[in-house]
Amino acid sequence: MLRAPLAPACLLAALLCAGIRAARVNKHKPWIETTYHGIVTENDNTVLLDPPLIALDKDAPLRFAESFEVTVTKEGEICGFKIHGQNVPFEAVVVDKSTGEGMIRSKEKLDCELQKDYTFTIQAYDCGKGPDGANAKKSHKATVHIQVNDVNEYAPVFKEKSYKATVIEGKRYDSILRVEAVDADCSPQFSQICSYEIVTPDVPFAIDKDGYIKNTEKLNYGKEHQYKLTVTAYDCGKKRAAEDVLVKISIKPTCKPGWQGWSKRMEYEPGTGSLALFPNIHLETCDEPVTSVQATVELETNHIGKGCDRDTYSEKSLHRLCGASSGTAELLPPPSNTANWTVGLPTDNGHDSDQVFEFNGTQAVKVPDSVVTVNMKEPFVISVWMRHGLGSREKETILCNSDKTDMNRHHYSLYVHNCRLVFLFRQDPSEGQSYKPAEFHWKLNQVCDKEWHHYVLNVELPAVTLYADGVSFDPFPVTEDYPLHPSRIESQLVVGACWQELSHQRSCSHSPHLFSPRSIKGGEHRMAQFFRGNLAGLMIRSGKLENKKVIDCLYTCKEGLDLQMAEGASKSLKIQMNPSQSVLTLEGDDIDQFEKAMQHISYLNSRQFPTPGIRRIKITSAVKCSSEEACMAIPFVDGYVMVLQPEEPKISLSGINHFARSASEFESPEGVSLFPELRIISTITREVEPEGDGDEDPTVQESLVSEEIMHNLDTCEVTVVGEELNQEQESLEVDLVRLQQKGMEISSSNLGVIITGVDTMASYEEVLHLIHYRNWHATALFDRKFRLVCSELNGRYVSNEFKVEVNVIHTANPVDHASHIAAQPQFVQPVHHSFVDLSGHNLANPHPGFSVVPSTATVVIVVCVSFLVFMIILGVFRIRAAHQRTMRDQDSGKENEMDWDDSALTITVNPMETYEDQHSSEEEEEEEEEESEEGEEEDDITSAESESSEEEEGEHEEDQQNVSRHQQLEWDDSTLTY
């Protein structure tokens, strides 16, 4: 029964298997394109084909019997691609068998430089196969062309390691030489050199795209003997050469006569002595038979100060330093509180505080009568610095002394007229009514050359000598005139014009000493002959003439040229130097000796703090040959010396700036010394380089070091801060004898005192120690403040402001009493108030044993001891309060333990105990009040401590009251039973 149903099932399976076998027959061959073109990059292995590599087979996609879970047939799938060719570095792989997609990739790294393209054939085959795989179908063979794209992997390389060329100076070349580089890349884009470049900056050369180098300007052997250029190349892919190439271009000089081996810029550091200007200079003569050489070296310093670098002290101080006689009157001083008649004049302060006044033809100043006291019968001297241009044909007055009122007589004057310097002097009428020399003329180029010049007039009638820049000149011509008629009219001295007044009225402008033509009205007032130019250092002194040594000292520059040679080395040379040491002329016939002399020329500046800036140097030369004529032209040399900025000193004033003295000291004849411990020091800050090589460790930085130096001071000014000095009751005094011994001068006003004169800082310290302040009504004075400022070089360097405050200690007058106890309140009270008023000040007692004011140490000790006693009392008080609270707590605890039945109690009060207890508590309260009063006198107790002590006292009083109430009850416990 079971075998019958199995027969139909087996038959059905057999039929299905036969059908499947019939369907899996591989009938068709795969199909691909006939030609493929591909591109691959050197640094990649995937080939980009056009068209894409896809093989098609008609046997695909055949599916059947899916309901019986039968897989897809293999005959329709593409199993691989085969490449035909020799040494083909490519392989073809199947990406997707079902779709027939494939790809070609390189089996090894490609190199375009070795082979740029490849050609081979490719064939596809499907997955049908028999027992030996022979049933697989293959497509036809297709041709594949693949091109290898280049990568810019190689940089340009120059054919030569270096290049050299030589050119002649003074010529422009179209091409000096050519540099050439090559590139190993395979493609034209990356293998060609598209540009060249000169890497070295600021050279007079250019290079084109083909590598040809030419000069852009005429080359000069004297400027550069050889140029070293760095050149690089770029391919068309902008890839730079791996190594730049060095190009050396030598300059061959054409023989040009002239000075060679000198530097255009020379730096001078202040304080280093002399600087050799031309240490390597030599003269190129081009083998010409030279017989003599002349050279003039000029140092241009006209733009520095008044023609060159000089000390910028006041003219009065300079006269004193040069040894001039005392009694010199300064007519154009810097404006100050004591000399204010030059306030309205325009000034030029651009030369390190060198005071220069400008007169523009509209202004003049009237000198006060008390400034100049010239005795015309004695010799006198006038000196001035002047800068004047061509001007006009009118008279331009520098200095004029004329009648104040009524008449128009000129007693003496110094003026400029038609580039002549003229001095007018009308002699005293007592000399007789005969002709006397009156006008002295000097025709000088210096008067109108717009440069600074120093003039000194030595007047000793009938002779008058003029020194211009240290060189003496005699007057020509000299005009005679009668002496002035006798008169009692006072004279007026004016600088910058001449005062001519026709009435008793005077013109006024905004300044009592300043005049201008705008103030002239109605022809009644006249200021005439105005000066146009610059003036400085106008001085006048009578009694003694100026000697040549002093004149040279006043004019001589602190900077100039210098020539130091060994003995005998300059015998064959003629050497000339002008007085200002700004022009040096050499002449000789030995070229070698001449060059050595030029190499020894140096620049020297003897100032401690020179004026920084440029000083131009110029050399003009002339050469003669055997024909006794100038055979060649020597170009002039133009350079400059750069004077570096000097290290600026810092002037520091220090000392006691706050102290107190008794009123009796202020009222004493000596007064109170304002600066008893004054110290003046000056320091400069220098940069100190670190030890070793700073390039090795970039973290090492330069350090600043302060160094003390010594130099002079020329002014110290003490001014009062606050109200001006009342001359009727106070003054600033100094020992004038000591001041004159040091050659200093003092001027005082209600604002303070000014001490002038060039001297050392130690001398100024000594003088300032001598300044005393007096006040002969010190009873109404409480304090006074003063300010001290010192300066150097006419205000170029200024110290700090040192302020001093002095306080007046007012003490009580002692009173005689029979009882010391009765006198005690009058003694203590003033002391107490003095301490309160001067708390926080530094009290000093110059008379110990006499003053009743306690010292600061005594006051501090008393305060500390009082505070300590108070703290001890407060501690004891707190302990007592704590103990009483403990006792009260214990008593209350006992009361709580017992439940009294007091219905039958009888209470008896002892009045004596109550009185004693109240009396004792009142005494304790009085003691506590006294202790609290003593505590209130202490200044060191804080508000928090005071509040806490008050709270504790309140608690203590409440405890005392409770105890008192408790003690007022007397218990009768005789009937109690326990």
Side-chain angles (χ1 to χ4, degrees):
M1 293 179 66
L2 293 172
R3 292 178 180 176
L6 291 174
C10 292
L11 181 61
L12 180 59
L15 291 175
L16 288 174
C17 291
I20 292 173
R21 241 182 244 111
R24 295 176 65 180
V25 176
N26 190 7
K27 294 182 179 181
H28 302 91
K29 297 188 296 185
W31 179 89
I32 58 175
E33 299 285 348
T34 58
T35 305
Y36 292 94
H37 294 274
I39 298 175
V40 63
T41 309
E42 279 184 317
N43 58 358
D44 196 3
N45 63 347
T46 302
V47 179
L48 181 64
L49 288 176
D50 184 26
L53 180 60
I54 298 176
L56 303 177
D57 195 331
K58 292 183 179 180
D59 295 324
L62 179 61
R63 300 172 183 268
F64 61 94
E66 292 183 359
S67 59
F68 296 96
E69 299 182 358
V70 178
T71 59
V72 180
T73 61
K74 301 296 182 181
E75 288 77 6
E77 294 181 349
I78 304 300
C79 277
F81 295 92
K82 185 175 182 181
I83 294 177
H84 301 275
Q86 294 181 352
N87 300 325
V88 177
F90 297 96
E91 63 179 356
V93 295
V94 177
V95 177
D96 191 343
K97 291 183 178 182
S98 61
T99 61
E101 182 181 357
M103 65 176 294
I104 298 177
R105 62 188 180 189
S106 62
K107 297 185 294 183
E108 58 189 39
K109 186 178 180 180
L110 302 178
D111 193 348
C112 175
E113 287 73 30
L114 296 178
Q115 188 171 347
K116 296 182 179 181
D117 51 32
Y118 295 88
T119 302
F120 53 87
T121 59
I122 190 172
Q123 195 175 26
Y125 58 90
D126 59 16
C127 294
K129 56 184 177 179
D132 55 356
N135 291 334
K137 298 290 185 178
K138 299 181 180 179
S139 69
H140 62 275
K141 293 182 180 179
T143 303
V144 180
H145 301 281
I146 296 178
Q147 179 181 347
V148 181
N149 280 354
D150 188 19
V151 175
N152 193 8
E153 55 186 331
Y154 293 100
V157 178
F158 286 94
K159 291 184 176 181
E160 303 290 339
K161 293 183 177 180
S162 63
Y163 295 86
K164 296 181 181 179
T166 301
V167 296
I168 300 175
E169 68 171 346
K171 185 178 178 181
R172 296 284 293 269
Y173 290 85
D174 294 333
S175 175
I176 297 176
L177 78 161
R178 183 189 182 191
V179 297
E180 188 176 0
V182 294
D183 196 311
D185 287 311
C186 64
S187 63
Q189 178 184 3
F190 299 140
S191 63
Q192 292 183 359
I193 306 300
C194 282
S195 63
Y196 294 88
E197 181 183 352
I198 297 177
V199 181
T200 307
D202 301 329
V203 290
F205 298 95
I207 188 170
D208 61 13
K209 65 178 183 177
D210 297 324
Y212 289 99
I213 298 176
K214 65 179 180 178
N215 57 325
T216 57
E217 62 183 42
K218 293 181 180 181
L219 305 178
N220 187 350
Y221 177 81
K223 182 179 180 181
E224 198 73 40
H225 295 353
Q226 186 185 65
Y227 289 92
K228 294 182 180 180
L229 315 177
T230 302
V231 179
T232 190
Y234 294 91
D235 61 17
C236 294
K238 300 300 181 181
K239 195 176 188 68
R240 182 173 173 171
E243 292 184 3
D244 300 336
V245 70
L246 178 64
V247 180
K248 296 180 180 180
I249 301 177
S250 300
I251 312 301
K252 185 178 180 181
T254 57
C255 186
K256 289 184 177 180
W259 293 104
Q260 298 179 0
W262 54 275
S263 300
K264 186 176 183 64
R265 175 188 171 99
M266 295 147 282
E267 291 187 353
Y268 179 79
E269 186 175 352
T272 57
S274 59
L275 171 68
L277 298 177
F278 319 108
N280 301 314
I281 197 170
H282 69 277
L283 182 62
E284 178 62 53
T285 59
C286 297
D287 299 328
E288 290 287 339
V290 176
T291 58
S292 66
V293 181
Q294 181 182 1
T296 301
V297 183
E298 298 181 54
L299 175 68
E300 295 184 1
T301 59
N302 295 335
H303 61 291
I304 304 296
K306 297 189 290 290
C308 67
D309 206 3
R310 297 181 176 88
D311 284 330
T312 54
Y313 295 119
S314 66
E315 199 67 24
K316 203 168 187 178
S317 298
L318 290 175
H319 276 249
R320 189 181 302 109
L321 288 176
C322 290
S325 302
S326 59
T328 303
E330 192 171 5
L331 305 185
L332 287 176
S336 63
N337 296 327
T338 57
N340 59 355
W341 62 88
T342 58
V343 171
L345 284 177
T347 60
D348 180 9
N349 292 324
H351 305 298
D352 294 322
S353 299
D354 192 5
Q355 195 74 63
V356 174
F357 294 94
E358 180 181 353
F359 293 85
N360 55 13
T362 63
Q363 291 177 312
V365 292
K366 182 180 68 173
V367 181
D369 298 337
S370 59
V371 174
V372 180
T373 56
V374 177
N375 188 353
M376 296 302 174
K377 297 181 180 180
E378 296 180 353
F380 64 95
V381 177
I382 298 176
S383 64
V384 66
W385 285 93
M386 181 179 71
R387 179 170 61 183
H388 183 263
L390 292 176
S392 62
R393 295 185 179 182
E394 299 178 357
K395 292 182 180 180
E396 298 181 38
T397 302
I398 301 170
L399 176 69
C400 179
N401 182 272
S402 58
D403 290 334
K404 266 189 179 182
T405 57
D406 298 334
M407 304 185 70
N408 188 24
R409 301 178 304 174
H410 294 185
H411 297 263
Y412 62 90
S413 66
L414 181 65
Y415 61 91
V416 176
H417 188 210
N418 291 333
C419 291
R420 295 173 182 265
L421 190 64
V422 182
F423 176 64
L424 169 67
F425 185 79
R426 301 292 297 277
Q427 297 189 35
D428 193 88
S430 61
E431 298 296 330
Q433 298 298 322
S434 59
Y435 278 100
K436 300 287 183 180
E439 277 191 352
F440 304 84
H441 297 251
W442 292 270
K443 178 67 174 178
L444 300 175
N445 295 329
Q446 293 92 321
V447 174
C448 295
D449 63 357
K450 295 184 181 180
E451 300 291 344
W452 279 105
H453 297 283
H454 185 240
Y455 302 93
V456 177
L457 275 175
N458 273 344
V459 181
E460 189 175 18
L461 295 177
V464 178
T465 305
L466 172 67
Y467 289 88
D469 297 337
V471 180
S472 62
F473 295 90
D474 293 328
F476 181 82
V478 177
T479 305
E480 295 183 345
D481 201 351
Y482 280 109
L484 295 175
H485 298 288
S487 174
R488 295 183 178 179
I489 301 176
E490 295 181 353
S491 60
Q492 177 63 62
L493 183 61
V494 176
V495 177
C498 204
W499 174 248
Q500 297 178 356
E501 185 173 348
L502 303 180
S503 68
H504 292 286
Q505 299 178 354
R506 277 193 293 180
S507 64
C508 298
S509 62
H510 62 279
S511 173
H513 302 286
L514 190 64
F515 300 93
S516 65
R518 290 186 292 272
S519 63
I520 304 171
K521 296 182 180 180
E524 295 182 353
H525 305 80
R526 186 156 60 96
M527 291 291 293
Q529 304 171 8
F530 285 90
F531 180 77
R532 295 176 178 84
N534 297 97
L535 297 176
L538 181 56
M539 314 285 289
I540 187 169
R541 187 187 71 249
S542 63
K544 186 179 179 181
L545 298 180
E546 211 72 277
N547 58 49
K548 184 66 166 59
K549 183 179 180 180
V550 173
I551 294 173
D552 291 340
C553 176
L554 293 172
Y555 171 73
T556 301
C557 297
K558 295 293 184 178
E559 64 177 343
L561 300 174
D562 190 22
L563 177 59
Q564 298 291 338
M565 295 186 66
E567 295 182 3
S570 60
K571 289 184 178 180
S572 61
L573 300 175
K574 289 183 179 180
I575 303 174
Q576 293 181 350
M577 182 86 75
N578 70 332
S580 63
Q581 296 182 325
S582 61
V583 180
L584 175 64
T585 302
L586 301 177
E587 186 175 357
D589 53 7
D590 189 335
I591 301 298
D592 294 335
Q593 292 294 329
F594 197 92
E595 289 181 350
K596 289 181 179 179
M598 292 290 294
Q599 293 172 1
H600 283 81
I601 296 176
S602 60
Y603 168 81
L604 179 64
N605 195 317
S606 60
R607 292 191 65 190
Q608 187 176 10
F609 306 107
T611 304
I614 292 176
R615 277 76 162 166
R616 296 202 171 275
I617 298 288
K618 188 179 294 185
I619 302 177
T620 54
S621 308
V623 176
K624 291 183 179 181
C625 298
S626 57
S627 59
E628 297 296 332
E629 295 180 357
C631 56
M632 65 182 72
I634 305 296
F636 69 89
V637 173
D638 189 9
Y640 63 92
V641 176
M642 173 59 74
V643 179
L644 302 180
Q645 179 74 33
E647 294 170 337
E648 185 171 345
K650 180 181 179 181
I651 306 173
S652 301
L653 308 179
S654 61
I656 300 176
N657 59 2
H658 193 182
F659 58 89
R661 295 290 185 268
S662 63
S664 59
E665 290 190 59
F666 288 92
E667 297 175 354
S668 65
E670 294 80 10
V672 175
S673 176
L674 290 181
F675 313 104
E677 298 183 13
L678 179 68
R679 182 82 172 94
I680 304 176
I681 62 172
S682 181
T683 57
I684 58 175
T685 302
R686 298 182 184 273
E687 291 185 356
V688 179
E689 297 182 357
E691 296 181 358
D693 190 0
D695 298 336
E696 297 179 357
D697 189 1
T699 61
V700 178
Q701 298 181 352
E702 295 181 347
S703 59
L704 300 179
V705 177
S706 182
E707 178 182 344
E708 185 174 350
I709 62 171
M710 301 300 296
H711 59 78
N712 293 330
L713 298 176
D714 59 0
T715 303
C716 278
E717 184 174 359
V718 181
T719 56
V720 62
V721 179
E723 297 181 359
E724 298 180 358
L725 292 173
N726 186 352
Q727 303 294 340
E728 297 181 357
Q729 66 178 22
E730 57 182 345
S731 65
L732 290 175
E733 299 179 356
V734 68
D735 191 345
L736 296 179
V737 176
R738 297 285 295 276
L739 202 66
Q740 293 174 359
Q741 289 176 354
K742 294 184 174 296
M744 299 182 185
E745 294 184 358
I746 185 171
S747 58
S748 60
S749 66
N750 56 352
L751 298 177
V753 296
I754 300 176
I755 302 174
T756 58
V758 180
D759 212 327
T760 63
M761 292 185 291
S763 295
Y764 265 91
E765 278 186 9
E766 183 179 348
V767 171
L768 291 172
H769 289 167
L770 301 177
I771 294 181
H772 290 73
Y773 170 68
R774 286 189 61 199
N775 191 312
W776 41 94
H777 296 291
T779 54
L781 182 67
F782 290 97
D783 57 30
R784 237 351 182 161
K785 297 179 181 179
F786 299 90
R787 179 174 55 244
L788 173 63
V789 176
C790 295
S791 63
E792 161 71 335
L793 293 175
N794 204 18
R796 180 177 176 183
Y797 302 117
V798 183
S799 71
N800 62 307
E801 287 188 357
F802 179 67
K803 295 183 179 180
V804 173
E805 179 179 353
V806 293
N807 297 109
V808 183
I809 301 175
H810 299 281
T811 59
N813 296 325
V815 181
D816 295 334
H817 292 275
S819 174
H820 294 288
I821 299 177
Q824 184 176 359
Q826 297 182 4
F827 172 78
V828 175
Q829 189 68 20
V831 174
H832 175 71
H833 286 292
S834 298
F835 168 70
V836 173
D837 294 341
L838 299 177
S839 61
H841 297 296
N842 183 14
L843 302 178
N845 187 6
H847 301 288
F850 174 78
S851 177
V852 296
V853 181
S855 63
T856 304
T858 304
V859 174
V860 171
I861 292 173
V862 171
V863 171
C864 293
V865 171
S866 301
F867 180 75
L868 181 61
V869 171
F870 172 76
M871 293 302 295
I872 293 173
I873 295 174
L874 184 62
V876 172
F877 178 78
R878 290 184 176 179
I879 292 173
R880 289 178 57 191
H883 178 69
Q884 291 175 357
R885 280 197 297 269
T886 303
M887 296 298 295
R888 184 184 60 188
D889 294 339
Q890 292 177 358
D891 294 340
S892 61
K894 291 179 181 180
E895 291 176 1
N896 293 331
E897 290 175 0
M898 303 170 113
D899 190 9
W900 299 93
D901 185 8
D902 53 358
S903 58
L905 292 179
T906 302
I907 298 175
T908 304
V909 179
N910 188 351
M912 294 302 295
E913 270 186 4
T914 304
Y915 172 77
E916 291 176 356
D917 293 339
Q918 290 178 353
H919 184 69
S920 61
S921 63
E922 289 177 359
E923 289 180 350
E924 290 177 357
E925 289 176 0
E926 289 176 0
E927 291 178 356
E928 291 171 3
E929 289 178 358
E930 291 178 356
E931 291 173 359
S932 62
E933 289 177 358
E934 292 179 357
E936 290 176 356
E937 294 179 358
E938 301 296 334
D939 296 333
D940 296 335
I941 299 177
T942 61
S943 60
E945 292 175 344
S946 301
E947 292 173 1
S948 63
S949 63
E950 290 174 2
E951 292 173 359
E952 291 171 357
E953 289 176 1
E955 293 175 359
H956 178 66
E957 290 175 1
E958 292 176 1
D959 294 340
Q960 293 291 337
Q961 291 176 3
N962 293 333
V963 173
S964 173
R965 295 193 189 102
H966 182 72
Q967 291 177 352
Q968 288 177 4
L969 299 176
E970 182 69 23
W971 296 93
D972 185 7
D973 54 357
S974 59
T975 60
L976 294 178
T977 59
Y978 294 93

